[in-house]
Structure formats: structure tokens, C-alpha cells
Amino acid sequence: MVDEHDPEERRRAALVESLPTATDDTPLMAELQLDARRRIELRGRRFPAPPETRVITVANQKGGVGKTTTTVNLAAALAQAGLNVLVLDNDPQGNASTALGVEHRAGTPSIYEVLIEGSPMAEAVQQSADIPTLWCLPATIDLSGAEIELVSMVARETRLRTSLDTYLQWRLDNGMERIDYVFVDCPPSLGLLTVNAFVVAREVLIPIQCEYYALEGLSQLLKTIQLIQAHLNRDLHVSTILLTMYDARTNLAQQVASEVREHFPDRTLRTTVPRSVRISEAPSYGQTVMTYDASSSGALAYLEAARELAERGAAALTSTDAPAGAQEER
């Protein structure tokens, strides 16, 4: 809804209204129009901050569905929109660290020292060079051995959560701004690193690839989340599903999207992320697509998904006056 008293909103609405009309016979025009509308509506806009820090783990057992890509680009989009965002790279491959352009060579203070040695997270968190309100706790090659080392440790499932809680409080104690969003990138497996990622979070975001076998393994992931809820983190819930690698030209992508929306109507974002060369290229330059090519269809899609995530979260978390039973059911 447009605020008629806000001149900036009126200007955006007028620009959108002036766009040429696209039809089913002009798919290229429709795509260009969608990107133009997104560019007008989203560029320079600030997103609402949540009432409290949202901790979101991005997970999917299936590899290659865009977990890391989704993590870093949603984080960058929210940070560009005026929010303070922290990414915890909990994947030994360290791809999120690469995409965010932070140092993660062997010997760099990282999530390994936090998990295994109990080092303060504040000593390892690095600020993004491209976006000042974006931070990252990097992963180094050392993390590849953490699964085995964690097995014999006390409180092995809650080490990341304890460290994050301490870090968030440390920021406040030192007069720093509150972190609005924490995103946790985890490996495509269900070991102790992923368990730590589920225990630290309150929400799970599942990226689903719009291709054959997209829902394969999802039922096992949901069962794992239920086990975590029952034994380690009763607040954990799947809050968001994002459709990635969407190609509107294929019937398969449309069928997968329809099936996911049918099964998870309230959790699936309206925004879909298209297949995009720019999204794939960005990490090789140590960037997210948000800074590599901000006007590309991929960047605009992630920016719109980030706005949807922010607006949904602000609406959900402000309704804290609802009865406890109603909240749990939601």
C-alpha cells in the first residue's frame, strides 16, 4: 500500500505506473518490466528492523540448492537496507567467507577456535569491506576436523549458541549497535556442525531448487528439526522457504514451485530467485551479487526476498501479545 502523504512513495508509485504493459506474448518485456519495477521500488529503501535479533539457519540436506548463495546475498541485501547483519560460516568449505571477501586462510581466527577452543567470537568476527553493517565469522580449513573433535566435548551441541549469546551481549556492553539478523550457513550434512547451527537458531530458512528431486530429503530434514525441537531447542521452527534457480520458461520449474507452495503456503516467499550468471560469477570476485552487479535480475530478486523476509519478521515478532498456544501453532 502506498503512503499518499510520503512524496518518495508517491514518486515510486508514479514511476511504476508509467512502465509499459507486458503480455503473455512478450516474456522478455515481462522480465524487463519486473526488474524495472523492483529497481524502482527497492533501490535505496530501508527495511524494518525486527523487535529483537533474528537468528536464522539456512539449511538443506541436498547439495547445490543455493544455501551459501542465499545466506550471503540475503545478508548483504538486508545490510544494504540499513540493518546490522552477522553471518556465521559454519561450513568447512568456507564459501560464505569467500563471497563476503573476508580473510579465511589457515591460521586466521575463525569459527573453529570459537567451537573447539572456546575463544571469544569477538576476536574472530570480521567486518565486510564492501558493506560496513555486515560482519562475518569466517570458516577455515581447520573446521573440517571439528566434527570429530566435538564428539567428546562437554555441551557439544550448544557451544555455538553460548558463544553467540555472549558476543551479542558483548556488543551491547561496549556501546555497539545491536545485530538485527544472524545468518548461519551450514554444510549439506546432518553432523554436529549442523546440530550446532540448529541449536543456535530460532528459525530455519530452507532454499529449494526448482528442479527435479527438489523435495528429496526435505522430509528427513523436517524430521531432524523436530528432533532438535524435542530435545535441544524448542523454539526452532521452519519460518521461511525460498525457491531458487527458478526458470519461468520451463514447465518443471513452475510445477515444483506450485508443489512447494501447495505444501507450505504460509512459509514460502512470493519472490523466486532466477538462474543467473551474475549470481554464479560474484563469489569468484570475493563479492556477493549485491555488490558485484546490483542491477542484475539476481541481485534484485534477493533484494526483494530480503524485504519480504524483513516485513514478515517484523509483522510476526510484533504480535507478541498473542496467546502462547496461538504463537506455537503459527
Side-chain angles (χ1 to χ4, degrees):
M1 181 180 290
V2 177
D3 183 354
E4 295 182 355
H5 301 292
D6 186 338
E8 178 63 19
E9 289 296 331
R10 291 203 305 272
R11 184 187 68 82
R12 290 180 191 268
L15 285 171
V16 169
E17 191 68 28
S18 68
L19 293 173
T21 303
T23 68
D24 293 338
D25 299 327
T26 56
L28 180 58
M29 174 63 80
E31 187 176 337
L32 292 172
Q33 185 189 53
L34 176 61
D35 283 354
R37 180 182 290 111
R38 283 173 167 168
R39 201 172 289 112
I40 293 166
E41 291 182 347
L42 298 171
R43 188 63 60 217
R45 186 185 291 273
R46 295 180 72 85
F47 298 163
E52 58 189 37
T53 301
R54 293 179 69 184
V55 186
I56 303 173
T57 286
V58 181
N60 192 326
Q61 264 183 280
K62 192 172 183 299
V65 299
K67 287 190 302 296
T68 299
T69 301
T70 293
T71 300
V72 297
N73 285 302
L74 284 179
L78 289 164
Q80 284 184 337
L83 301 172
N84 296 308
V85 185
L86 170 66
V87 173
L88 306 183
D89 189 352
N90 201 33
D91 185 345
Q93 295 180 79
N95 292 335
S97 305
T98 299
L100 294 174
V102 299
E103 183 63 63
H104 63 109
R105 287 179 295 186
T108 303
S110 68
I111 197 168
Y112 174 82
E113 283 75 19
V114 169
L115 281 171
I116 304 302
E117 299 175 6
S119 298
M121 193 177 287
E123 295 179 359
V125 168
Q126 298 181 41
Q127 189 174 27
S128 166
D130 296 318
I131 309 173
T133 56
L134 179 60
W135 290 266
C136 176
L137 175 63
T140 62
I141 192 65
D142 296 331
L143 192 61
S144 56
E147 289 277 6
I148 298 171
E149 294 179 75
L150 280 168
V151 170
S152 60
M153 293 192 139
V154 176
R156 60 190 182 185
E157 300 93 350
T158 60
R159 294 177 74 85
L160 189 57
R161 180 169 188 164
T162 301
S163 183
L164 177 63
D165 289 344
T166 301
Y167 172 72
L168 295 177
Q169 188 58 49
W170 172 84
R171 285 183 64 97
L172 297 178
D173 292 343
N174 284 272
M176 302 170 75
E177 289 187 339
R178 183 197 72 176
I179 293 290
D180 297 302
Y181 283 86
V182 178
F183 286 94
V184 189
D185 186 34
C186 51
S189 61
L190 293 176
L192 280 170
L193 288 177
T194 303
V195 170
N196 266 273
F198 282 145
V199 173
V200 75
R202 312 305 184 266
E203 305 176 44
V204 179
L205 186 154
I206 305 176
I208 294 182
Q209 185 181 13
C210 292
E211 292 191 353
Y212 197 55
Y213 293 138
L215 299 177
E216 188 181 70
L218 187 58
S219 60
Q220 181 59 48
L221 176 62
L222 296 175
K223 287 177 184 175
T224 301
I225 291 170
Q226 288 176 348
L227 284 172
I228 299 291
Q229 286 174 325
H231 300 287
L232 294 167
N233 182 6
R234 66 183 301 273
D235 296 327
L236 187 69
H237 64 285
V238 178
S239 66
T240 311
I241 292 174
L242 176 63
L243 296 165
T244 63
M245 305 181 192
Y246 182 78
D247 187 345
R249 298 170 299 179
T250 67
N251 289 331
L252 177 60
Q254 295 177 27
Q255 289 168 5
V256 170
S258 176
E259 189 173 350
V260 172
R261 293 188 194 284
E262 182 181 339
H263 281 86
F264 307 100
D266 298 328
R267 305 178 196 180
T268 308
L269 297 182
R270 295 186 304 274
T271 306
T272 57
V273 178
R275 281 198 171 278
S276 166
V277 174
R278 292 303 199 196
I279 290 176
S280 303
E281 286 177 347
S284 63
Y285 292 88
Q287 296 183 57
T288 65
V289 74
M290 307 307 302
T291 55
Y292 177 65
D293 187 352
S295 63
S296 66
S297 59
L300 293 168
Y302 271 117
L303 192 57
E304 187 169 53
R307 179 177 70 166
E308 202 175 337
L309 182 71
E311 290 177 347
R312 282 183 172 210
L317 289 172
T318 48
S319 58
T320 52
D321 294 334
Q327 284 193 27
E328 284 199 17
E329 195 171 291
R330 186 187 74 233

